Amino acid sequence: MRKITLCFILIVLSIGGFAQDERHFILWNTNSGYIDLSPKIFMEVNEKIHYNYSLNQLDMTFATVTLGHKIKSWFNVAGAIRMVRYRGGADWFNENRFMAFYQINKSIKRFEINHIGRMAYRILNPDPNNFRHFQNLTIQLPYLLKSKIRPFIGGEMFTQLNKTGLHLARTFVGIKAIDMKRFNMTLYYGYERTKKDSQWRSNDILGTNLNFAI
């Protein structure tokens, strides 16, 4: 597990190298609500915005509804619908995604390992529809001293199942600043590499996640 984790993070860090290019600073905010419909069935609703601070404009918003099944205490499967609105130049475009995914959560001593694998069918306008595979790995580190602040590191990759292939990769480092029974808040920095027209470019991300459980 340690070797797999290390290799995954190194791959994401190395995507496209660290070429000197124009980097944008982007602010993310995610708000999520979670409810157990039964001991095995759960539902989650979230909304997210991407604000491009460098260009002083909103770049993307999306809303997601997820329905999941707890197969084991450490293994979930789920389906989701996501409605996306994103900026392309001066215009706005819509995208709908139908997604199926699994999630694995394992504790190894004082560490928490979370892995998500997801397949999405993307209905795009004006671009052609496509399938895209997503992988995410997050490692929660031990709590800082005797506090309730918990640092984490992670990475994720997006691969279109067409000639585009791998086109988006990110690494994250952050903290779970508030961790309560029905509410938690995380703060994080992300380094992003995106590919467009065979060229890779970099962005810096500063994000907050607010999660509520009912």
Side-chain angles (χ1 to χ4, degrees):
M1 174 62 76
R2 292 179 182 176
K3 291 182 179 179
I4 293 174
T5 299
L6 180 60
C7 288
F8 186 92
I9 294 173
L10 289 175
I11 288 170
V12 175
L13 281 171
S14 65
I15 294 298
F18 292 91
Q20 297 297 317
D21 54 12
E22 182 185 3
R23 292 169 68 161
H24 288 178
F25 182 64
I26 303 172
L27 301 175
W28 287 7
N29 175 250
T30 306
N31 299 308
S32 302
Y34 178 98
I35 184 170
D36 284 317
L37 301 177
S38 75
K40 292 288 187 180
I41 304 298
F42 65 89
M43 183 177 183
E44 184 173 358
V45 178
N46 66 56
E47 60 89 20
K48 186 176 185 181
I49 63 170
H50 292 184
Y51 180 81
N52 192 318
Y53 184 81
S54 299
L55 299 179
N56 192 29
Q57 65 182 28
L58 188 65
D59 274 352
M60 179 184 290
T61 66
F62 66 70
T64 310
V65 178
T66 301
L67 188 64
H69 182 219
K70 302 174 185 178
I71 305 296
K72 298 286 186 180
S73 61
W74 52 271
F75 181 65
N76 301 330
V77 296
I81 299 174
R82 176 171 292 171
M83 293 151 286
V84 184
R85 187 166 172 78
Y86 63 95
R87 183 188 295 272
D91 299 319
W92 283 89
F93 301 96
N94 296 318
E95 174 187 342
N96 294 314
R97 301 177 190 171
F98 298 89
M99 305 181 292
F101 63 92
Y102 66 85
Q103 183 174 22
I104 298 172
N105 293 284
K106 295 290 286 185
S107 297
I108 302 177
K109 295 184 178 180
R110 297 166 61 197
F111 296 83
E112 296 284 341
I113 312 296
N114 178 273
H115 170 63
I116 298 174
R118 185 178 71 208
M119 184 65 70
Y121 181 67
R122 307 168 69 207
I123 301 176
L124 299 157
N125 180 22
D127 296 327
N129 300 344
N130 62 69
F131 284 95
R132 184 168 72 173
H133 183 248
F134 163 86
Q135 289 193 79
N136 173 282
L137 180 67
T138 301
I139 304 171
Q140 295 191 58
L141 307 176
Y143 288 95
L144 296 176
L145 301 176
K146 295 183 179 180
S147 72
K148 293 187 177 181
I149 297 176
R150 191 169 198 181
F152 66 88
I153 57 174
E156 58 190 28
M157 298 185 292
F158 295 78
T159 305
Q160 292 188 24
L161 303 187
N162 55 25
K163 64 181 181 180
T164 300
L166 178 65
H167 71 104
L168 176 58
R170 304 183 182 113
T171 53
F172 298 99
V173 58
I175 59 170
K176 184 176 285 187
I178 300 175
D179 191 5
M180 303 170 64
K181 183 178 180 180
R182 303 222 174 253
F183 172 73
N184 68 68
M185 179 178 71
T186 58
L187 308 171
Y188 58 89
Y189 164 79
Y191 175 75
E192 178 182 75
R193 296 287 288 172
T194 61
K195 184 174 72 172
K196 186 175 182 180
D197 299 326
S198 300
Q199 299 294 319
W200 288 91
R201 62 169 295 169
S202 302
N203 294 312
D204 297 292
I205 299 164
L206 188 63
T208 60
N209 290 353
L210 304 177
N211 301 299
F212 302 85
I214 300 173

